[in-house]
Amino acid sequence: MMSVRYLTAKLAQQIDEELMNVTGAFSLDQLMELAGLACAQTLATVYKKETHPRVLVCCGPGNQGGDGLVAARHLGMFGYLPTIWIPKPGSKEIYKRLQAQCVNMKIPVIPPSSETGPLQNALNESDVILDAIFGFSFKPPVRSPFDSALALISESKLPIVSVDIPSGWDVEKGNAAGVGLNPDVLISLTAPKEGAREFKGRHFLGGRFVTKAMEEKFSLHLPHYPNFDQIVELLPTTDSQKL
Amino acid sequence: MMSVRYLTAKLAQQIDEELMNVTGAFSLDQLMELAGLACAQTLATVYKKETHPRVLVCCGPGNQGGDGLVAARHLGMFGYLPTIWIPKPGSKEIYKRLQAQCVNMKIPVIPPSSETGPLQNALNESDVILDAIFGFSFKPPVRSPFDSALALISESKLPIVSVDIPSGWDVEKGNAAGVGLNPDVLISLTAPKEGAREFKGRHFLGGRFVTKAMEEKFSLHLPHYPNFDQIVELLPTTDSQKL
């Protein structure tokens, strides 16, 4: 069996566009809902709510942050106690709606601040982090307030679940610059990104909405999702078959 | 523990509106995606693809039909072989997009016809039916072409999974008129409807997006969804506690 394809940033962008163009016909609402659900299910698979109830969901300003907001809502539904850190809320209408849905669930949102204190306090009261800060459109360098935030999050030594690409990593070159997070778990969406080749932790795939035709067009060689799950773990045996 | 509340058509409508108003902030895309996924997972829980691979998804022209289209897509992703019967496609833009997503998956759609032949042929080649014809806004009587369709579906003796309320049933009075389907499985969305009180088969609940505040406001007494599932089976013990 061919190994799953690792995507360049450009290819990831192209697949996203094809999913949402006139032919693909998906709305961002749909894709984000399924992606965020997959993120929440991944965290819940690895960190049980009995041992890791308090999840700090860190959201960037882009679509990745939207995935984080969807995940926070589902984690709340699953019985976790999420808190959202969202220093630069996205300006898109969907972003505001997703945030409102979390507020309706009474999920606390840390007020934006130029100080690191509020994030530090939240880290002190969390059991695990969902990192939805930067996605596949991230370009270095990491800018304020995220530069100091990544350092604080790393220093916390809390377990980290990263969405799509660990924040601070180059989407294609990985953590060569050494400023990125070192997550324990990664949930790649649609297909893993080039930069994730060097990732050594537990690696899941989500985004069960890619048609066979699109999978073949882009030679994705996606693994088989079990039963009716929305996530599949990429096992080391598959990982060792990297091209 | 209080028994789950059975909703009138008016209350079901009100809850739907609150979910999607400015405060609730959900889009129809989001709710339909989660509802349709719950329908697909319910069918997959009861009828395994090894024994019941060929699913005839029967869609009405309203939002219920949209749930059916989402379910058909997910069933295709799960490895089933769905076919869609959709004699009166909805006119909403979302409906067209959901249908396009199924076409992209190469899910066959039976061409609309004033004859019963195409539906009969499809029934002959199916193992189980997903009934997404009428939802909680249905008012009797059943009109053409659905009147003859319900009769054909019943005569097929195939197992039926109905969405929200079995098609042909009055949302509040049930199958008193006797023209409705007799499904083996029912997946109620958000909360069961009054008419479903008399339903005797396996009864599931989906729609894990109702906030605690809304649950309390409407005294829904929803059951506890297990783990990170999107569906929960309403067991007879709960059922016997009906108010």
Side-chain angles (χ1 to χ4, degrees), chain B residues 134-213:
Chain B
F134 298 127
F136 65 74
S137 48
F138 168 74
K139 301 254 183 232
V142 178
R143 294 192 173 77
S144 174
F146 297 106
D147 48 357
S148 56
L150 292 191
L152 279 184
I153 291 170
S154 289
E155 285 162 19
S156 77
K157 307 289 184 198
L158 290 169
I160 299 172
V161 178
S162 284
V163 177
D164 216 25
I165 189 85
S167 289
W169 289 32
D170 185 280
V171 180
E172 294 174 7
K173 294 178 204 127
N175 197 21
V179 299
L181 298 179
N182 282 303
D184 306 85
V185 180
L186 178 65
I187 162 82
S188 291
L189 297 171
T190 313
K193 311 306 170 291
E194 278 284 353
R197 279 187 188 275
E198 64 179 86
F199 176 69
K200 300 284 183 240
R202 288 185 71 176
H203 191 175
F204 293 78
L205 184 67
R208 196 175 185 179
F209 42 62
V210 179
T211 62
K212 269 283 158 209

Side-chain angles (χ1 to χ4, degrees), chain B residues 16-210:
Chain B
D16 239 36
E17 283 169 7
E18 289 218 10
L19 284 165
M20 290 189 279
N21 69 11
V22 176
T23 309
F26 277 100
S27 68
L28 184 58
D29 279 69
Q30 285 182 287
L31 298 180
M32 220 173 242
E33 192 63 36
L34 294 176
L37 178 60
C39 295
Q41 291 183 337
T42 296
L43 187 142
T45 297
V46 181
Y47 300 103
K48 303 296 170 197
K49 66 184 172 195
E50 290 75 15
T51 55
H52 295 73
R54 300 170 304 173
V55 185
L56 184 60
V57 181
C58 297
C59 298
N63 286 348
Q64 172 105 168
D67 295 340
L69 291 170
V70 173
R73 168 165 43 85
H74 283 293
L75 287 168
M77 285 288 169
F78 300 167
Y80 288 81
L81 301 169
T83 293
I84 297 170
W85 180 68
I86 179 175
K88 289 183 176 257
S91 54
K92 280 188 187 172
E93 183 256 354
I94 185 174
Y95 204 99
K96 291 172 186 167
R97 278 193 285 108
L98 293 173
Q99 191 172 343
Q101 291 160 23
C102 289
V103 170
N104 289 343
M105 301 245 329
K106 305 198 195 309
I107 297 173
V109 178
I110 301 171
S113 166
S114 57
E115 308 292 316
T116 56
L119 174 59
Q120 184 61 63
N121 291 341
L123 288 166
N124 292 343
E125 295 175 358
S126 296
D127 303 305
V128 56
I129 291 166
L130 183 67
D131 156 35
I133 298 177
F134 298 127
F136 65 74
S137 48
F138 168 74
K139 301 254 183 232
V142 178
R143 294 192 173 77
S144 174
F146 297 106
D147 48 357
S148 56
L150 292 191
L152 279 184
I153 291 170
S154 289
E155 285 162 19
S156 77
K157 307 289 184 198
L158 290 169
I160 299 172
V161 178
S162 284
V163 177
D164 216 25
I165 189 85
S167 289
W169 289 32
D170 185 280
V171 180
E172 294 174 7
K173 294 178 204 127
N175 197 21
V179 299
L181 298 179
N182 282 303
D184 306 85
V185 180
L186 178 65
I187 162 82
S188 291
L189 297 171
T190 313
K193 311 306 170 291
E194 278 284 353
R197 279 187 188 275
E198 64 179 86
F199 176 69
K200 300 284 183 240
R202 288 185 71 176
H203 191 175
F204 293 78
L205 184 67
R208 196 175 185 179
F209 42 62
V210 179

Side-chain angles (χ1 to χ4, degrees), chain A residues 23-27 29-30 33-34 37 41 44-45 73-74 77-78 97-98 100-101 104 208-211 228 230, chain B residues 23-27 29-30 33-34 37 41 44-45 73-74 77-78 97-98 100-101 104 208-211 228 230:
Chain A
T23 308
F26 277 100
S27 68
D29 279 69
Q30 285 182 287
E33 193 63 35
L34 295 175
L37 179 60
Q41 291 184 337
T45 298
R73 168 166 44 86
H74 284 292
M77 285 288 170
F78 300 167
R97 279 194 285 108
L98 293 173
Q101 290 161 23
N104 289 344
R208 197 175 184 179
F209 42 62
V210 179
T211 62
F228 48 76
Q230 294 297 301
Chain B
T23 309
F26 277 100
S27 68
D29 279 69
Q30 285 182 287
E33 192 63 36
L34 294 176
L37 178 60
Q41 291 183 337
T45 297
R73 168 165 43 85
H74 283 293
M77 285 288 169
F78 300 167
R97 278 193 285 108
L98 293 173
Q101 291 160 23
N104 289 343
R208 196 175 185 179
F209 42 62
V210 179
T211 62
F228 48 76
Q230 294 297 300

Side-chain angles (χ1 to χ4, degrees), chain A residues 31-47 55 57 63-64 66-72 74-75 78 80 129-132 161-164 185-189 204-207 230-231, chain B residues 228:
Chain A
L31 298 181
M32 221 173 242
E33 193 63 35
L34 295 175
L37 179 60
C39 295
Q41 291 184 337
T42 297
L43 186 143
T45 298
V46 181
Y47 301 102
V55 185
V57 181
N63 286 348
Q64 173 105 170
D67 296 339
L69 291 171
V70 173
H74 284 292
L75 287 168
F78 300 167
Y80 288 81
I129 291 166
L130 183 67
D131 158 34
V161 179
S162 284
V163 177
D164 216 26
V185 179
L186 178 65
I187 163 81
S188 292
L189 297 171
F204 292 79
L205 184 68
Q230 294 297 301
I231 55 173
Chain B
F228 48 76

Side-chain angles (χ1 to χ4, degrees), chain A residues 44-235:
Chain A
T45 298
V46 181
Y47 301 102
K48 301 297 168 197
K49 66 184 171 194
E50 290 75 16
T51 55
H52 294 74
R54 302 171 303 174
V55 185
L56 183 61
V57 181
C58 298
C59 297
N63 286 348
Q64 173 105 170
D67 296 339
L69 291 171
V70 173
R73 168 166 44 86
H74 284 292
L75 287 168
M77 285 288 170
F78 300 167
Y80 288 81
L81 301 169
T83 294
I84 297 170
W85 181 69
I86 180 174
K88 288 182 175 257
S91 55
K92 280 188 187 172
E93 183 255 353
I94 186 175
Y95 205 99
K96 290 172 186 167
R97 279 194 285 108
L98 293 173
Q99 190 172 343
Q101 290 161 23
C102 289
V103 170
N104 289 344
M105 301 244 331
K106 304 197 195 312
I107 297 173
V109 178
I110 302 171
S113 164
S114 57
E115 307 293 317
T116 56
L119 175 59
Q120 183 62 64
N121 290 341
L123 288 166
N124 293 343
E125 294 175 0
S126 295
D127 302 306
V128 56
I129 291 166
L130 183 67
D131 158 34
I133 298 177
F134 298 127
F136 66 73
S137 49
F138 167 74
K139 301 253 184 232
V142 179
R143 294 192 172 77
S144 174
F146 297 105
D147 49 356
S148 56
L150 293 191
L152 279 184
I153 290 168
S154 289
E155 284 162 18
S156 77
K157 306 289 182 200
L158 289 169
I160 299 171
V161 179
S162 284
V163 177
D164 216 26
I165 189 85
S167 289
W169 290 31
D170 184 280
V171 181
E172 294 174 7
K173 294 177 203 130
N175 198 20
V179 299
L181 298 179
N182 282 303
D184 305 85
V185 179
L186 178 65
I187 163 81
S188 292
L189 297 171
T190 312
K193 310 305 170 292
E194 279 283 354
R197 279 188 188 275
E198 65 178 88
F199 177 69
K200 300 284 183 242
R202 287 185 72 177
H203 191 174
F204 292 79
L205 184 68
R208 197 175 184 179
F209 42 62
V210 179
T211 62
K212 270 283 158 209
M214 196 178 281
E215 185 182 342
E216 284 165 14
K217 173 175 175 179
F218 291 105
S219 306
L220 298 181
H221 308 298
L222 297 177
H224 180 73
Y225 284 79
N227 306 314
F228 48 76
D229 292 359
Q230 294 297 301
I231 55 173
V232 54
E233 185 161 6
L234 300 176
L235 296 174

